[in-house]
Amino acid sequence: MLRAEAVPVRMRRVALMAPESALRESLVRVAEAGCVEIDLPGDGGPDVRGPAAARLQRLRTEPVRPALSAAPPELDALEREGRADLLAGEAQLEERLGSAVRHGEVAALAGWCPEAEVAATAARLAGAGAALVPLRSPRGVDPPTLLAGAGSASPARPGSTVRRSFTPLVSTYGTVPYADLDPTVAAGIVYVVMFGLMFGDAGHGLLLVGLALLLRAGRPRRAAALRPLWPFVAAAGLAATLAGVAYGEFFGPTGVLPVLWLSPLEEPMRLLACAVGLGAVLLAAAYGAGIANRWREGGFAAALYATTGIAGATLYLGLAVVAGYVWLGGAAYGVAGAVIVGVGLSLAGARLYATTTGGPGGAVQTGVQLFDVVVRIGSNVVSFARLAAFGLTHAALGAIVWDGTTALAGRGPAGVAAASLVFLVGNALTFALEALVAGVQALRLEFYELFSRLFVGEGRPFRPWRLPVERLPSPSGTKAAVGPAR
């Protein structure tokens, strides 16, 4: 059984049922809890605006963060006071009130809620005389996706800091389908390893770690929005530092560190072979995850024939065996590889041909698609050579800066000053340029070579209705309340 962290948060279909007289208070509690996504009509019908929406439109204000009043407010008073935030919240409330299905004195709304939050939300609603009823998921409708690292729907249960910092790697690519595995942690680890190989310099890596600590401290203030990413930046810096120690690079080949593994400038072919080998392993892992995803999405048949499933993995294995035959020799390797490639092509071809109109045209189309699959596998493996290429570029730039520094340092006091300037400016430029290049190239490898095998579709993100609630003074001078906050 998969651990909970390896899949999106489990969702439950729920219905909010409340007496008509308590529906507003129930919805206020739902908004305050912030862990229920309520279905809204999307039929493209006429835009029917309620009283709050009409008043909000008359204010013609800039976009504001909506909020809700715990008790029904006087809309005219809100308009006079310019409380666009409360009017915006009331407009959202009106939309949900209008979406309710009514039968006699009872109103109901359907939606989605994380399974772990159902009991607590139901207890919160019980105080208003409402109920949150679990339902069977509708057939053919996938639940919305909430990744564990994106933070819980409930503020009381935040996701781990490290996992949350890795989440943008996945969410930038797209929304993980609900049935698929959640690759957040694995994607983060793979990214920082690839980044470190390309940005391998212990001095530059430690600077990146220092930058991460500044982000954690909220400095500079203009970058406060990036504070949640500090573990990701720190991990990338640590990976670059370890790679720099292995390369013997500390602000270039300064001799401060001995070479523990290899020097990129002296052994480029060895670095290239290691980069391609690492890429081959990562592609194999991506095929394994792709098989699991296809199986979870459509069962064994979907996993068997997909080019990102068993068929594609078999073809990849066969080509790897053929490559071993070319490299090592041995007729047995060549025969075994050819047989495995034939099995993979047959499985993938059967699926691809089934999607065509059939006949000779369909056969030609299938052949072209299979050729493209084979070429893509080869090009994807070779694409990982960029790990070595950009690691070599980083080392070359560091060497140029260090050679310029040492050449100037022996020319008296003026030479020492010039050498210091070259060292500082050169390393600053190298750090900025290579951090950008390595970051983009690692992202490109993850998206095009790895994620393209994990995902064949996109899910729908979970968007709970969450608004802050204000207790405005009631006409009697007391403050309205909607019950405890859990």
Side-chain angles (χ1 to χ4, degrees), residues 10 16 121 127 170 174 223 225 282 301-303 337 414 421 461-462 483:
R10 188 175 178 83
L16 166 62
T121 306
V170 180
L282 292 177
L421 182 62
F462 175 64

Tab-separated table of all heavy atoms in Angstrom, residues 10 16 121 127 170 174 223 225 282 301-303 337 414 421 461-462 483:
chain	number	residue	atom	x	y	z
A	10	ARG	N	-6.398	12.420	-0.073
A	10	ARG	CA	-7.640	11.705	-0.366
A	10	ARG	C	-8.843	12.631	-0.157
A	10	ARG	O	-8.972	13.263	0.889
A	10	ARG	CB	-7.762	10.472	0.521
A	10	ARG	CG	-8.930	9.564	0.158
A	10	ARG	CD	-8.913	8.299	1.001
A	10	ARG	NE	-10.045	7.447	0.693
A	10	ARG	CZ	-10.085	6.585	-0.318
A	10	ARG	NH1	-9.047	6.479	-1.126
A	10	ARG	NH2	-11.145	5.834	-0.528
A	16	LEU	N	-23.449	19.574	1.924
A	16	LEU	CA	-23.784	20.436	3.051
A	16	LEU	C	-25.299	20.575	3.081
A	16	LEU	O	-25.907	21.078	2.127
A	16	LEU	CB	-23.133	21.801	2.890
A	16	LEU	CG	-23.634	22.922	3.804
A	16	LEU	CD1	-23.373	22.587	5.259
A	16	LEU	CD2	-22.985	24.248	3.430
A	121	THR	N	-15.009	19.287	10.225
A	121	THR	CA	-15.899	20.259	9.591
A	121	THR	C	-17.348	19.966	9.923
A	121	THR	O	-18.151	20.892	10.144
A	121	THR	CB	-15.687	20.250	8.064
A	121	THR	OG1	-14.299	20.444	7.782
A	121	THR	CG2	-16.482	21.361	7.403
A	127	GLY	N	-22.928	22.900	15.081
A	127	GLY	CA	-23.302	23.992	15.967
A	127	GLY	C	-24.297	24.952	15.353
A	127	GLY	O	-24.955	25.713	16.066
A	170	VAL	N	6.374	21.005	-9.288
A	170	VAL	CA	5.318	20.203	-9.894
A	170	VAL	C	4.174	21.081	-10.373
A	170	VAL	O	3.669	20.916	-11.486
A	170	VAL	CB	4.809	19.148	-8.887
A	170	VAL	CG1	3.703	18.297	-9.506
A	170	VAL	CG2	5.956	18.252	-8.426
A	174	GLY	N	2.073	21.553	-14.103
A	174	GLY	CA	0.641	21.322	-14.240
A	174	GLY	C	0.093	20.708	-12.964
A	174	GLY	O	0.831	20.461	-12.001
A	223	ALA	N	11.854	40.497	-1.022
A	223	ALA	CA	11.786	39.092	-1.412
A	223	ALA	C	11.026	38.258	-0.390
A	223	ALA	O	11.171	37.036	-0.354
A	223	ALA	CB	13.192	38.535	-1.593
A	225	ALA	N	8.055	37.326	-0.296
A	225	ALA	CA	7.169	36.330	-0.900
A	225	ALA	C	7.900	35.035	-1.226
A	225	ALA	O	7.275	33.982	-1.375
A	225	ALA	CB	6.539	36.898	-2.172
A	282	LEU	N	17.592	7.829	-14.254
A	282	LEU	CA	16.426	8.672	-13.983
A	282	LEU	C	15.287	8.370	-14.960
A	282	LEU	O	14.111	8.351	-14.569
A	282	LEU	CB	16.813	10.145	-14.065
A	282	LEU	CG	17.763	10.656	-12.973
A	282	LEU	CD1	18.126	12.113	-13.214
A	282	LEU	CD2	17.128	10.503	-11.589
A	301	ALA	N	-4.577	-2.830	-18.689
A	301	ALA	CA	-4.526	-2.618	-20.139
A	301	ALA	C	-3.936	-1.246	-20.475
A	301	ALA	O	-3.127	-1.112	-21.400
A	301	ALA	CB	-5.921	-2.760	-20.741
A	302	ALA	N	-4.340	-0.223	-19.732
A	302	ALA	CA	-3.812	1.114	-19.979
A	302	ALA	C	-2.314	1.167	-19.728
A	302	ALA	O	-1.569	1.836	-20.452
A	302	ALA	CB	-4.535	2.132	-19.100
A	303	ALA	N	-1.851	0.460	-18.702
A	303	ALA	CA	-0.420	0.447	-18.394
A	303	ALA	C	0.359	-0.376	-19.415
A	303	ALA	O	1.495	-0.046	-19.753
A	303	ALA	CB	-0.193	-0.107	-16.996
A	337	GLY	N	18.479	-7.909	-26.943
A	337	GLY	CA	18.003	-6.540	-27.104
A	337	GLY	C	17.016	-6.419	-28.241
A	337	GLY	O	15.998	-5.728	-28.120
A	414	ALA	N	49.183	47.673	-6.922
A	414	ALA	CA	48.121	47.935	-7.901
A	414	ALA	C	47.617	46.629	-8.492
A	414	ALA	O	46.424	46.456	-8.739
A	414	ALA	CB	48.644	48.863	-9.007
A	421	LEU	N	39.687	42.857	-7.509
A	421	LEU	CA	38.516	43.286	-8.254
A	421	LEU	C	38.100	42.224	-9.276
A	421	LEU	O	36.916	41.905	-9.414
A	421	LEU	CB	38.807	44.612	-8.955
A	421	LEU	CG	37.640	45.228	-9.749
A	421	LEU	CD1	36.472	45.556	-8.814
A	421	LEU	CD2	38.098	46.477	-10.496
A	461	PRO	N	-7.073	21.481	-9.855
A	461	PRO	CA	-6.630	21.800	-8.491
A	461	PRO	C	-7.801	21.969	-7.535
A	461	PRO	O	-8.877	22.434	-7.912
A	461	PRO	CB	-5.862	23.113	-8.670
A	461	PRO	CG	-6.435	23.720	-9.910
A	461	PRO	CD	-6.810	22.569	-10.803
A	462	PHE	N	-7.582	21.582	-6.296
A	462	PHE	CA	-8.575	21.760	-5.230
A	462	PHE	C	-8.573	23.219	-4.800
A	462	PHE	O	-7.528	23.762	-4.428
A	462	PHE	CB	-8.221	20.849	-4.051
A	462	PHE	CG	-9.101	21.024	-2.844
A	462	PHE	CD1	-10.457	20.733	-2.904
A	462	PHE	CD2	-8.573	21.463	-1.639
A	462	PHE	CE1	-11.270	20.892	-1.788
A	462	PHE	CE2	-9.371	21.617	-0.518
A	462	PHE	CZ	-10.726	21.331	-0.599
A	483	GLY	N	-19.641	30.860	16.516
A	483	GLY	CA	-19.197	29.689	17.234
A	483	GLY	C	-17.683	29.615	17.332
A	483	GLY	O	-16.967	30.435	16.783
